[in-house]
């Protein structure tokens, strides 16, 4: 059983999908599964990304039509094998230690049910746009 299942909803993500997938597959902790829910994509980006980076930790689920964010996550959760579930957008990139640090925080405080992070925003050309701080209130 993996330590964490990462759900990624995909809908016509284009060239941003492959770097998003790689940022999860290249985490410093490899004990994960990437559960991709294809939410009715038509652009072929998922097939291209899977062909360029085959990985046995990737599980692909397909929907004929877009279920939206809530419906997509709800459809993917039953397919997750890990005790922790992380969400990842298909146009984002995660810090290489994101999952390791989040699981470390969970282990340090077993009362935690949810762990979030701040983000560093960039544009499509990797130029920094600023920070979006984490929410620290319970």
């Amino acid at each position: 059983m993996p330590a964490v299942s990462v759900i990624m909803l995909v809908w016509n993500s284009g060239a941003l999908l492959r770097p998003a997938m790689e940022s999860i597959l290249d985490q410093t902790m490899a004990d994960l599964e990437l559960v991709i829910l294809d939410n009715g994509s038509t652009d072929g980006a998922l097939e291209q990304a899977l062909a360029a980076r085959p990985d046995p930790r990737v599980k692909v689920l397909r929907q004929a039509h877009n279920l939206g964010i809530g419906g997509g996550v709800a459809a993917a959760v039953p397919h997750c094998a890990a005790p922790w579930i992380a969400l990842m957008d298909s146009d984002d990139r995660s810090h290489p230690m994101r999952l390791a640090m989040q699981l470390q925080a969970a282990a340090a405080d077993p009362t935690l049910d949810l762990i979030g992070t701040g983000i560093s925003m960039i544009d499509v050309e990797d130029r920094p746009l600023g920070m979006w701080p984490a929410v620290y209130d319970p």
Side-chain angles (χ1 to χ4, degrees):
M1 176 188 324
V4 63
S5 297
V6 179
I7 294 175
M8 181 182 292
L9 303 181
V10 173
W11 184 75
N12 294 339
S13 302
L16 299 174
L17 176 59
R18 186 171 170 194
M21 287 174 58
E22 289 177 345
S23 77
I24 294 299
L25 297 173
D26 292 339
Q27 289 288 300
T28 58
M29 61 150 300
D31 190 14
L32 63 89
E33 69 174 348
L34 176 56
V35 179
I36 296 175
L37 185 118
D38 180 357
N39 228 347
S41 295
T42 58
D43 68 352
L46 178 55
E47 289 72 21
Q48 292 172 5
L50 292 170
R53 177 77 185 266
D55 192 302
R57 298 173 296 167
V58 176
K59 183 186 302 183
V60 177
L61 312 169
R62 298 191 187 272
Q63 293 294 320
H65 62 282
N66 193 322
L67 301 174
I69 295 171
V73 171
V77 165
H79 300 276
C80 294
W84 282 96
I85 295 174
L87 301 179
M88 174 71 178
D89 290 340
S90 63
D91 63 350
D92 291 350
R93 287 182 284 173
S94 282
H95 185 281
M97 293 182 63
R98 170 196 169 186
L99 297 175
M101 290 188 296
Q102 287 177 316
L103 290 178
Q104 182 179 24
D109 184 352
T111 67
L112 294 177
D113 294 317
L114 179 75
I115 301 168
T117 67
I119 63 170
S120 174
M121 295 179 292
I122 58 173
D123 66 13
V124 295
E125 296 175 2
D126 289 340
R127 293 181 296 226
L129 297 174
M131 297 295 294
W132 189 324
V135 176
Y136 294 105
D137 293 334

